[in-house]
């Protein structure tokens, strides 16, 4: 994969969302690889917790980033798809597909279930192990 | 019905069973009525339904 353009795109998105979040958004930092959910995204924050916090945020532009400590350490999704059901905009900014891997393990599920009226940007990561054909209709969502 | 936008940029989709942008599709991202852009991304060893949907 050509690394030049994703990096440029990430920089653009980071600047864009950083500017937006100055007045309108929050930044949530994923700090752990395990797929836990205690309902709080603080110094101990999984991707699932960060997504939930961003969705719950009253801000119009939110950003999820990853702690540098997670570089080259795969994150696991073990508890089903992560719902991103938001009326606002969200960016999930990875380090790049060579250094950030999100792997789904255990049962069948997608990585994300996305319903929003704003913009979701997902950048710079490897996604592996996703499954779950047909679950969208089974869940009654359209 | 939502009218959002999804941008996937610089993503490596690797060994996923399926991927589709249509309702009833599955795999990596389940998207409901989103305008979707996938760019600077690659796919490898995904299932039969893999692709941009």
């Amino acid at each position: 994969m050509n690394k030049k353009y994703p990096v440029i795109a990430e920089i653009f998105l980071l600047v864009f969302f950083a500017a937006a979040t100055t007045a309108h958004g929050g930044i949530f930092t994923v700090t752990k690889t395990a797929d836990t959910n205690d309902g709080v995204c603080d110094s101990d924050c999984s991707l699932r917790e960060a997504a939930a916090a961003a969705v719950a945020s009253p801000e119009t532009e939110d950003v999820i980033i990853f702690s540098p400590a997670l570089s080259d350490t795969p994150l696991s999704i073990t508890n089903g798809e992560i719902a991103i059901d938001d009326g606002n905009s969200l960016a999930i900014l990875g380090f790049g597909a060579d250094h950030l891997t999100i792997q789904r393990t255990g049962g069948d599920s997608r990585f994300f279930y996305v319903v929003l009226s704003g913009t979701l940007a997902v950048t710079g990561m490897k996604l592996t192990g996703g499954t779950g054909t047909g679950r969208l209709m089974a869940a009654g969502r359209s | 019905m939502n009218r959002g936008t999804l941008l996937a940029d610089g993503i490596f989709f690797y060994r996923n069973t399926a991927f589709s942008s249509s309702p009833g599709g599955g795999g990596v991202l389940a998207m409901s009525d989103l305008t979707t852009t996938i760019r600077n991304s690659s796919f490898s060893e995904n299932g039969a339904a893999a692709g941009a949907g």
Side-chain angles (χ1 to χ4, degrees):
Chain A
M1 182 180 350
N2 186 331
K3 292 282 295 174
K4 180 179 179 181
Y5 295 109
V7 170
I8 293 172
E10 286 178 31
I11 292 170
F12 171 80
L13 287 169
L14 188 58
V15 170
F16 173 80
F17 279 98
T21 55
T22 299
H24 304 290
I27 299 175
F28 304 91
T29 304
V30 178
T31 63
K32 64 191 301 184
T33 60
D35 186 12
T36 61
N37 189 4
D38 65 3
V40 178
C41 179
D42 50 17
S43 61
D44 180 83
C45 184
S46 67
L47 177 57
R48 187 177 302 276
E49 291 164 341
V55 169
S57 168
E59 309 294 346
T60 56
E61 305 279 356
D62 292 303
V63 178
I64 294 174
I65 58 176
F66 297 83
S67 167
L70 300 179
S71 180
D72 298 320
T73 305
L75 279 72
S76 295
I77 293 179
T78 57
N79 295 314
E81 63 194 16
I82 295 174
I84 299 174
D85 191 340
D86 200 345
N88 298 314
S89 294
L90 173 65
I92 303 174
L93 306 178
F95 309 124
D98 293 341
H99 297 289
L100 180 64
T101 296
I102 299 179
Q103 60 186 11
R104 190 214 54 77
T105 59
D108 291 339
S109 79
R110 302 177 179 93
F111 294 93
F112 304 109
Y113 176 70
V114 182
V115 180
L116 79 170
S117 54
T119 297
L120 170 66
V122 183
T123 72
M125 63 187 70
K126 180 168 82 173
L127 298 174
T128 185
T131 62
T133 302
R135 288 287 181 83
L136 182 58
M137 295 305 290
R141 308 295 289 269
S142 62
Chain B
M1 191 68 75
N2 296 278
R3 298 289 180 187
T5 300
L6 172 69
L7 168 64
D9 192 355
I11 307 295
F12 179 26
F13 297 95
Y14 180 65
R15 290 190 174 178
N16 297 288
T17 298
F19 177 66
S20 174
S21 61
S22 61
V28 179
L29 296 163
M31 295 165 282
S32 178
D33 198 27
L34 298 177
T35 300
T36 303
T37 299
I38 298 175
R39 67 187 185 196
N40 302 317
S41 298
S42 59
F43 298 82
S44 179
E45 299 184 36
N46 294 287

Coordinates of all heavy atoms in Angstrom, one line a residue, chain A residues 1-2 5-6 9-10 12-13 81 85-86 96-97 109-137 141-142, chain B residues 1-35 37 39-42 44 46-47 49:
Chain A
M1 N 0.8 -1.2 0.0 CA 0.0 0.0 0.0 C 0.9 1.2 0.0 O 1.9 1.3 0.6 CB -0.9 0.0 1.3 CG -1.8 1.2 1.3 SD -2.9 1.3 2.7 CE -2.7 -0.3 3.5
N2 N 0.4 2.2 -0.8 CA 1.2 3.5 -0.8 C 0.9 4.2 0.5 O -0.2 4.6 0.9 CB 0.7 4.3 -2.0 CG 1.5 5.6 -2.1 OD1 2.1 6.1 -1.2 ND2 1.6 6.0 -3.4
Y5 N -0.1 8.8 0.8 CA -1.3 9.4 0.7 C -2.1 9.3 2.0 O -2.7 10.2 2.5 CB -2.1 9.0 -0.5 CG -1.5 9.5 -1.7 CD1 -0.9 8.6 -2.6 CD2 -1.4 10.8 -2.0 CE1 -0.3 9.0 -3.8 CE2 -0.8 11.3 -3.2 CZ -0.2 10.4 -4.1 OH 0.4 10.8 -5.2
P6 N -2.1 8.0 2.6 CA -2.8 7.9 3.9 C -2.2 8.8 5.0 O -2.9 9.4 5.8 CB -2.6 6.4 4.3 CG -2.4 5.8 3.0 CD -1.7 6.7 2.1
A9 N -3.5 12.2 4.3 CA -4.9 12.3 4.6 C -5.1 12.3 6.1 O -5.9 13.1 6.7 CB -5.6 11.1 4.1
E10 N -4.3 11.6 6.9 CA -4.4 11.6 8.3 C -4.0 12.9 8.9 O -4.6 13.4 9.8 CB -3.4 10.5 8.9 CG -4.0 9.1 8.7 CD -3.0 8.1 9.3 OE1 -2.3 8.4 10.3 OE2 -3.0 7.0 8.7
F12 N -4.3 15.8 7.4 CA -5.4 16.7 7.0 C -6.5 16.5 8.0 O -7.1 17.4 8.5 CB -5.8 16.4 5.6 CG -7.1 17.1 5.3 CD1 -7.1 18.5 4.9 CD2 -8.3 16.5 5.3 CE1 -8.3 19.2 4.6 CE2 -9.5 17.2 5.0 CZ -9.5 18.5 4.6
L13 N -6.9 15.2 8.2 CA -8.0 14.9 9.1 C -7.7 15.3 10.5 O -8.6 15.9 11.2 CB -8.4 13.4 9.0 CG -9.1 13.0 7.7 CD1 -9.1 11.4 7.7 CD2 -10.5 13.5 7.6
E81 N -19.8 -6.4 17.6 CA -19.6 -5.2 16.9 C -19.7 -3.9 17.8 O -20.5 -3.9 18.8 CB -20.5 -5.0 15.7 CG -22.0 -5.0 16.1 CD -22.9 -5.2 14.9 OE1 -22.5 -5.7 13.9 OE2 -24.1 -4.9 15.1
D85 N -23.6 5.0 16.6 CA -25.0 5.5 16.2 C -25.0 6.9 16.7 O -25.3 7.2 17.9 CB -26.0 4.6 16.9 CG -27.4 4.9 16.3 OD1 -27.6 6.0 15.7 OD2 -28.3 4.0 16.4
D86 N -24.8 7.8 15.8 CA -24.5 9.2 16.3 C -25.1 10.2 15.3 O -25.1 10.0 14.1 CB -23.0 9.4 16.4 CG -22.6 10.6 17.3 OD1 -23.5 11.4 17.6 OD2 -21.5 10.7 17.7
G96 N -1.6 4.0 11.1 CA -1.2 3.5 9.8 C -1.4 2.0 9.9 O -1.2 1.4 10.9
A97 N -1.7 1.4 8.7 CA -2.0 0.0 8.7 C -0.8 -0.9 9.0 O -1.0 -2.0 9.4 CB -2.6 -0.4 7.3
S109 N -18.8 -11.4 14.3 CA -19.3 -10.0 14.3 C -18.5 -9.2 13.4 O -17.4 -9.5 13.0 CB -19.2 -9.4 15.8 OG -17.9 -9.1 16.1
R110 N -19.0 -8.0 13.1 CA -18.3 -7.0 12.4 C -17.4 -6.3 13.4 O -17.5 -6.5 14.6 CB -19.3 -6.1 11.7 CG -20.2 -6.7 10.7 CD -21.2 -5.7 10.2 NE -22.1 -6.3 9.3 CZ -23.3 -6.7 9.6 NH1 -23.7 -6.7 10.8 NH2 -24.1 -7.2 8.7
F111 N -16.7 -5.3 12.9 CA -16.0 -4.4 13.7 C -16.9 -3.3 14.2 O -17.0 -3.0 15.4 CB -14.8 -3.8 13.0 CG -13.7 -4.8 12.6 CD1 -13.7 -5.4 11.4 CD2 -12.8 -5.1 13.6 CE1 -12.8 -6.4 11.1 CE2 -11.8 -6.1 13.2 CZ -11.8 -6.7 12.0
F112 N -17.5 -2.6 13.3 CA -18.3 -1.5 13.6 C -19.7 -1.6 13.0 O -19.9 -2.1 11.9 CB -17.7 -0.2 13.1 CG -16.3 0.0 13.6 CD1 -15.3 -0.1 12.7 CD2 -16.0 0.4 14.9 CE1 -13.9 0.1 13.1 CE2 -14.7 0.6 15.3 CZ -13.7 0.5 14.4
Y113 N -20.7 -1.1 13.7 CA -22.0 -1.0 13.2 C -22.3 0.5 13.2 O -22.3 1.2 14.2 CB -23.1 -1.7 14.0 CG -24.5 -1.5 13.5 CD1 -24.9 -2.0 12.3 CD2 -25.4 -0.7 14.2 CE1 -26.2 -1.8 11.8 CE2 -26.6 -0.4 13.7 CZ -27.0 -1.0 12.5 OH -28.3 -0.7 12.0
V114 N -22.4 1.1 12.0 CA -22.4 2.5 11.8 C -23.7 3.1 11.4 O -24.2 2.7 10.3 CB -21.3 2.9 10.8 CG1 -21.2 4.4 10.7 CG2 -20.0 2.4 11.2
V115 N -24.3 3.9 12.2 CA -25.5 4.7 11.8 C -25.3 6.1 12.2 O -25.2 6.4 13.4 CB -26.8 4.1 12.4 CG1 -28.0 4.9 11.9 CG2 -27.0 2.7 12.1
L116 N -25.2 7.0 11.3 CA -25.0 8.4 11.7 C -25.4 9.3 10.6 O -25.5 9.0 9.4 CB -23.6 8.6 12.1 CG -22.5 8.9 11.1 CD1 -21.2 9.3 11.7 CD2 -22.2 7.6 10.3
S117 N -25.7 10.5 11.0 CA -26.1 11.5 10.0 C -24.9 12.5 9.8 O -25.0 13.4 8.9 CB -27.3 12.3 10.5 OG -27.1 12.8 11.8
G118 N -23.9 12.4 10.5 CA -22.7 13.2 10.3 C -21.7 12.4 9.5 O -22.0 11.7 8.6
T119 N -20.4 12.6 9.8 CA -19.3 12.0 9.0 C -18.5 11.1 10.0 O -18.1 11.5 11.1 CB -18.4 13.0 8.4 OG1 -19.1 13.8 7.5 CG2 -17.2 12.4 7.7
L120 N -18.2 9.9 9.6 CA -17.3 9.0 10.3 C -16.1 8.8 9.4 O -16.2 8.4 8.2 CB -17.9 7.6 10.6 CG -16.9 6.6 11.1 CD1 -16.4 7.0 12.5 CD2 -17.6 5.2 11.2
A121 N -14.9 9.1 9.9 CA -13.7 8.9 9.2 C -12.9 7.8 9.9 O -12.6 8.0 11.1 CB -12.9 10.2 9.0
V122 N -12.5 6.8 9.3 CA -11.7 5.7 9.9 C -10.4 5.7 9.1 O -10.5 5.4 7.9 CB -12.4 4.4 9.9 CG1 -11.5 3.3 10.6 CG2 -13.7 4.4 10.6
T123 N -9.3 5.9 9.7 CA -8.0 6.0 8.9 C -6.9 5.2 9.6 O -6.9 5.0 10.8 CB -7.5 7.4 8.8 OG1 -7.1 7.9 10.1 CG2 -8.7 8.4 8.3
G124 N -6.0 4.7 8.8 CA -4.7 4.2 9.2 C -4.7 3.0 10.1 O -4.1 3.1 11.2
M125 N -5.3 1.9 9.7 CA -5.3 0.7 10.5 C -5.5 -0.5 9.7 O -6.1 -0.4 8.6 CB -6.3 0.8 11.6 CG -7.8 0.9 11.2 SD -8.9 1.2 12.5 CE -8.6 2.9 13.0
K126 N -5.1 -1.7 10.2 CA -5.5 -2.9 9.6 C -6.6 -3.5 10.3 O -6.6 -3.6 11.5 CB -4.3 -3.9 9.6 CG -4.6 -5.3 9.0 CD -3.3 -6.1 8.8 CE -2.9 -6.8 10.0 NZ -1.7 -7.7 9.8
L127 N -7.7 -4.0 9.6 CA -8.8 -4.6 10.1 C -8.8 -6.1 9.7 O -8.9 -6.4 8.5 CB -10.1 -3.9 9.7 CG -10.2 -2.5 10.1 CD1 -11.5 -1.8 9.5 CD2 -10.3 -2.3 11.6
T128 N -8.8 -7.0 10.6 CA -8.7 -8.4 10.3 C -9.7 -9.2 11.1 O -9.9 -8.9 12.3 CB -7.3 -8.9 10.4 OG1 -7.2 -10.3 9.9 CG2 -6.8 -8.8 11.8
G129 N -10.3 -10.2 10.5 CA -11.1 -11.2 11.2 C -12.6 -10.8 11.3 O -13.3 -11.5 12.0
G130 N -13.0 -9.8 10.6 CA -14.4 -9.5 10.6 C -15.3 -10.5 10.0 O -15.0 -11.1 8.9
T131 N -16.5 -10.8 10.5 CA -17.5 -11.7 10.0 C -18.8 -11.2 10.3 O -19.0 -10.1 10.9 CB -17.3 -13.1 10.6 OG1 -17.6 -13.0 12.0 CG2 -16.0 -13.7 10.3
G132 N -19.9 -11.9 9.9 CA -21.2 -11.5 10.3 C -22.2 -11.2 9.2 O -23.1 -10.4 9.4
T133 N -22.1 -11.8 8.1 CA -23.0 -11.6 7.0 C -24.5 -11.7 7.5 O -24.9 -12.7 8.1 CB -22.8 -12.5 5.9 OG1 -21.4 -12.4 5.5 CG2 -23.7 -12.2 4.7
G134 N -25.3 -10.7 7.1 CA -26.7 -10.7 7.4 C -27.2 -10.2 8.7 O -28.4 -10.0 9.0
R135 N -26.3 -9.9 9.6 CA -26.7 -9.4 10.9 C -27.4 -8.1 10.9 O -28.2 -7.8 11.8 CB -25.4 -9.3 11.8 CG -24.8 -10.7 12.2 CD -25.7 -11.4 13.2 NE -25.1 -12.6 13.6 CZ -24.2 -12.8 14.5 NH1 -23.7 -11.7 15.1 NH2 -23.8 -14.0 14.9
L136 N -27.1 -7.3 9.9 CA -27.7 -6.0 9.9 C -29.3 -6.1 9.8 O -30.0 -5.5 10.6 CB -27.2 -5.1 8.7 CG -27.8 -3.7 8.6 CD1 -27.5 -2.9 9.8 CD2 -27.2 -3.1 7.4
M137 N -29.8 -6.9 8.9 CA -31.2 -7.0 8.8 C -31.8 -7.8 10.0 O -32.9 -7.5 10.5 CB -31.6 -7.7 7.5 CG -31.2 -7.0 6.2 SD -31.9 -5.3 6.2 CE -33.6 -5.7 5.9
R141 N -32.4 -3.2 11.7 CA -31.9 -1.9 11.3 C -31.9 -1.8 9.8 O -31.6 -2.7 9.1 CB -30.5 -1.6 11.9 CG -30.4 -1.8 13.4 CD -31.3 -0.9 14.2 NE -30.8 0.5 14.2 CZ -29.9 0.9 15.1 NH1 -29.5 0.1 16.1 NH2 -29.5 2.2 15.1
S142 N -32.2 -0.6 9.3 CA -32.1 -0.4 7.9 C -31.7 1.0 7.6 O -31.7 1.9 8.5 CB -33.4 -0.7 7.2 OG -34.4 0.1 7.7
Chain B
M1 N -34.3 7.7 8.7 CA -33.2 7.3 7.8 C -32.0 8.2 7.9 O -32.2 9.4 7.9 CB -33.7 7.2 6.4 CG -32.7 6.5 5.4 SD -32.5 4.8 5.7 CE -34.0 4.1 5.0
N2 N -30.8 7.7 8.1 CA -29.7 8.6 8.2 C -29.0 8.9 6.9 O -29.1 8.1 5.9 CB -28.7 7.9 9.1 CG -29.2 7.7 10.5 OD1 -29.2 8.7 11.3 ND2 -29.8 6.6 10.8
R3 N -28.4 10.0 6.8 CA -27.7 10.4 5.6 C -26.3 10.8 5.9 O -25.8 11.9 5.6 CB -28.4 11.5 4.9 CG -29.8 11.2 4.5 CD -29.8 10.2 3.3 NE -31.2 9.9 2.9 CZ -31.5 9.0 1.9 NH1 -30.5 8.3 1.3 NH2 -32.8 8.8 1.6
G4 N -25.6 9.9 6.5 CA -24.2 10.2 6.9 C -23.2 9.9 5.8 O -23.5 9.4 4.7
T5 N -21.9 10.2 6.2 CA -20.8 9.9 5.3 C -19.8 9.1 6.0 O -19.4 9.4 7.1 CB -20.2 11.2 4.8 OG1 -21.2 12.0 4.1 CG2 -19.0 11.0 3.9
L6 N -19.3 8.1 5.3 CA -18.2 7.3 5.9 C -17.0 7.4 5.0 O -17.1 7.2 3.8 CB -18.6 5.8 5.9 CG -17.5 4.8 6.3 CD1 -17.1 5.0 7.7 CD2 -17.9 3.4 6.1
L7 N -15.9 7.7 5.6 CA -14.6 7.7 4.9 C -13.7 6.7 5.5 O -13.4 6.8 6.7 CB -14.0 9.1 5.0 CG -12.5 9.2 4.5 CD1 -12.4 8.9 3.0 CD2 -11.9 10.6 4.8
A8 N -13.2 5.7 4.7 CA -12.2 4.8 5.2 C -11.0 5.1 4.4 O -11.0 5.0 3.1 CB -12.7 3.3 4.9
D9 N -9.9 5.5 5.0 CA -8.7 5.9 4.4 C -7.5 5.2 4.9 O -7.3 5.3 6.2 CB -8.6 7.4 4.5 CG -7.5 8.0 3.6 OD1 -6.8 7.3 2.9 OD2 -7.4 9.3 3.6
G10 N -6.7 4.6 4.1 CA -5.5 3.9 4.6 C -5.8 2.7 5.4 O -5.1 2.4 6.4
I11 N -6.8 2.0 5.0 CA -7.2 0.8 5.7 C -6.8 -0.5 5.0 O -6.9 -0.6 3.7 CB -8.8 0.7 5.9 CG1 -9.3 2.0 6.6 CG2 -9.1 -0.5 6.8 CD1 -8.8 2.2 8.0
F12 N -6.2 -1.4 5.7 CA -5.9 -2.7 5.1 C -6.9 -3.7 5.6 O -6.9 -4.1 6.8 CB -4.5 -3.1 5.5 CG -4.0 -4.5 5.0 CD1 -4.5 -5.0 3.8 CD2 -3.0 -5.2 5.7 CE1 -4.1 -6.2 3.4 CE2 -2.6 -6.4 5.2 CZ -3.1 -6.9 4.1
F13 N -7.8 -4.2 4.7 CA -8.8 -5.2 5.1 C -8.2 -6.6 4.8 O -7.9 -7.0 3.7 CB -10.0 -5.0 4.2 CG -10.7 -3.7 4.4 CD1 -10.4 -2.6 3.5 CD2 -11.6 -3.5 5.4 CE1 -11.1 -1.4 3.7 CE2 -12.3 -2.3 5.6 CZ -12.0 -1.2 4.7
Y14 N -7.9 -7.3 5.9 CA -7.1 -8.5 5.8 C -7.9 -9.7 6.5 O -8.3 -9.6 7.6 CB -5.8 -8.3 6.5 CG -4.9 -9.6 6.4 CD1 -4.4 -10.1 5.2 CD2 -4.5 -10.2 7.6 CE1 -3.6 -11.2 5.2 CE2 -3.7 -11.3 7.6 CZ -3.2 -11.8 6.4 OH -2.4 -12.9 6.4
R15 N -8.1 -10.7 5.7 CA -8.8 -11.9 6.2 C -10.1 -11.6 6.9 O -10.3 -12.0 8.1 CB -7.8 -12.7 7.1 CG -6.7 -13.3 6.3 CD -5.8 -14.3 7.2 NE -4.8 -14.9 6.3 CZ -3.9 -15.8 6.8 NH1 -3.9 -16.1 8.1 NH2 -3.1 -16.4 6.0
N16 N -11.0 -11.0 6.2 CA -12.3 -10.8 6.7 C -13.3 -11.6 5.9 O -13.0 -11.9 4.7 CB -12.7 -9.3 6.6 CG -11.8 -8.4 7.5 OD1 -11.9 -8.4 8.7 ND2 -10.9 -7.7 6.8
T17 N -14.3 -12.1 6.5 CA -15.2 -13.1 5.8 C -16.0 -12.4 4.7 O -16.2 -12.9 3.7 CB -16.2 -13.7 6.9 OG1 -15.4 -14.4 7.8 CG2 -17.1 -14.6 6.2
A18 N -16.5 -11.2 5.0 CA -17.3 -10.6 4.0 C -17.3 -9.1 4.2 O -17.0 -8.6 5.3 CB -18.8 -11.1 4.0
F19 N -17.7 -8.3 3.2 CA -17.7 -6.9 3.4 C -18.7 -6.3 2.3 O -18.6 -6.6 1.1 CB -16.3 -6.3 3.1 CG -16.3 -4.8 3.2 CD1 -16.5 -4.2 4.4 CD2 -16.0 -4.1 2.1 CE1 -16.5 -2.8 4.4 CE2 -15.9 -2.7 2.1 CZ -16.2 -2.0 3.3
S20 N -19.6 -5.6 2.8 CA -20.6 -5.0 1.8 C -21.2 -3.8 2.4 O -21.4 -3.6 3.6 CB -21.7 -6.0 1.6 OG -22.7 -5.4 0.8
S21 N -21.5 -2.8 1.5 CA -22.1 -1.6 2.0 C -23.6 -1.7 2.0 O -24.3 -0.7 2.4 CB -21.7 -0.4 1.1 OG -22.1 -0.7 -0.2
S22 N -24.2 -2.8 1.6 CA -25.6 -2.9 1.5 C -26.2 -3.5 2.7 O -25.5 -4.4 3.4 CB -26.0 -3.7 0.3 OG -25.5 -5.0 0.4
P23 N -27.4 -3.2 3.1 CA -28.1 -3.8 4.2 C -28.1 -5.4 4.0 O -28.4 -5.8 2.9 CB -29.5 -3.3 4.3 CG -29.3 -1.9 3.6 CD -28.3 -2.1 2.6
G24 N -27.8 -6.1 5.0 CA -27.7 -7.5 4.9 C -26.3 -8.0 4.5 O -26.0 -9.2 4.6
G25 N -25.5 -7.1 4.1 CA -24.1 -7.5 3.9 C -23.4 -7.6 5.3 O -24.0 -7.4 6.3
G26 N -22.2 -8.0 5.2 CA -21.6 -8.2 6.5 C -20.1 -8.0 6.5 O -19.5 -7.6 5.5
G27 N -19.5 -8.3 7.6 CA -18.0 -8.2 7.6 C -17.5 -7.1 8.4 O -17.7 -7.0 9.6
V28 N -16.8 -6.2 7.8 CA -16.0 -5.2 8.6 C -16.9 -4.1 9.1 O -16.9 -3.7 10.2 CB -14.9 -4.6 7.7 CG1 -14.1 -3.6 8.4 CG2 -14.0 -5.8 7.3
L29 N -17.5 -3.4 8.1 CA -18.3 -2.2 8.5 C -19.8 -2.4 8.0 O -20.0 -2.7 6.9 CB -17.8 -1.0 7.8 CG -16.4 -0.6 8.2 CD1 -15.8 0.4 7.2 CD2 -16.4 0.1 9.6
A30 N -20.7 -2.4 8.9 CA -22.1 -2.4 8.6 C -22.6 -1.0 8.5 O -22.7 -0.3 9.4 CB -22.9 -3.2 9.6
M31 N -23.0 -0.6 7.3 CA -23.3 0.8 7.0 C -24.7 0.9 6.6 O -25.2 0.2 5.8 CB -22.4 1.3 5.9 CG -20.9 1.3 6.4 SD -19.8 1.5 5.0 CE -19.8 -0.1 4.3
S32 N -25.4 1.8 7.3 CA -26.8 2.1 7.0 C -27.0 3.4 6.3 O -26.9 4.5 6.9 CB -27.6 2.0 8.3 OG -29.0 2.3 8.1
D33 N -27.3 3.3 5.0 CA -27.6 4.5 4.3 C -26.5 5.6 4.4 O -26.8 6.8 4.6 CB -29.0 5.1 4.7 CG -29.5 6.0 3.6 OD1 -29.2 5.8 2.4 OD2 -30.3 6.9 4.0
L34 N -25.3 5.2 4.3 CA -24.2 6.2 4.3 C -23.6 6.3 2.9 O -23.5 5.4 2.2 CB -23.1 5.7 5.3 CG -23.4 5.5 6.7 CD1 -22.2 4.9 7.5 CD2 -23.9 6.8 7.4
T35 N -23.2 7.5 2.7 CA -22.3 7.8 1.5 C -20.9 7.3 1.9 O -20.4 7.8 2.8 CB -22.3 9.3 1.1 OG1 -23.7 9.6 0.8 CG2 -21.5 9.5 -0.1
T37 N -16.9 6.4 1.1 CA -15.7 6.5 0.3 C -14.6 5.7 0.9 O -14.3 5.8 2.1 CB -15.2 8.0 0.3 OG1 -16.2 8.8 -0.3 CG2 -13.9 8.1 -0.5
R39 N -10.6 4.8 0.2 CA -9.5 5.2 -0.6 C -8.2 4.9 0.1 O -8.1 4.7 1.3 CB -9.6 6.7 -0.9 CG -9.4 7.6 0.4 CD -9.6 9.1 0.0 NE -9.3 9.9 1.2 CZ -9.8 11.2 1.3 NH1 -10.5 11.7 0.3 NH2 -9.5 11.9 2.4
N40 N -7.2 4.8 -0.7 CA -5.8 4.4 -0.2 C -5.8 3.2 0.6 O -5.1 3.0 1.6 CB -5.2 5.6 0.6 CG -5.2 6.9 -0.2 OD1 -4.8 6.9 -1.3 ND2 -5.6 8.0 0.4
S41 N -6.7 2.2 0.3 CA -6.9 1.0 1.1 C -6.6 -0.2 0.2 O -6.6 -0.1 -1.0 CB -8.3 1.0 1.6 OG -8.6 2.1 2.5
S42 N -6.4 -1.3 0.9 CA -6.2 -2.6 0.2 C -6.9 -3.7 0.8 O -7.3 -3.6 2.0 CB -4.7 -2.8 0.1 OG -4.1 -3.0 1.4
S44 N -6.9 -8.1 1.2 CA -6.2 -9.3 0.9 C -6.8 -10.4 1.7 O -7.1 -10.3 2.9 CB -4.7 -9.1 1.4 OG -4.0 -10.3 1.2
N46 N -9.6 -11.8 1.8 CA -10.9 -11.7 2.4 C -11.9 -12.8 1.8 O -11.5 -13.4 0.8 CB -11.5 -10.3 2.1 CG -10.7 -9.3 2.9 OD1 -10.7 -9.1 4.1 ND2 -9.8 -8.5 2.1
G47 N -13.1 -12.9 2.3 CA -14.0 -13.9 1.9 C -14.6 -13.5 0.5 O -14.3 -12.5 -0.1
A49 N -17.3 -12.4 -0.6 CA -18.1 -11.2 -0.8 C -17.2 -10.0 -0.5 O -17.8 -8.9 -0.4 CB -19.3 -11.2 0.2

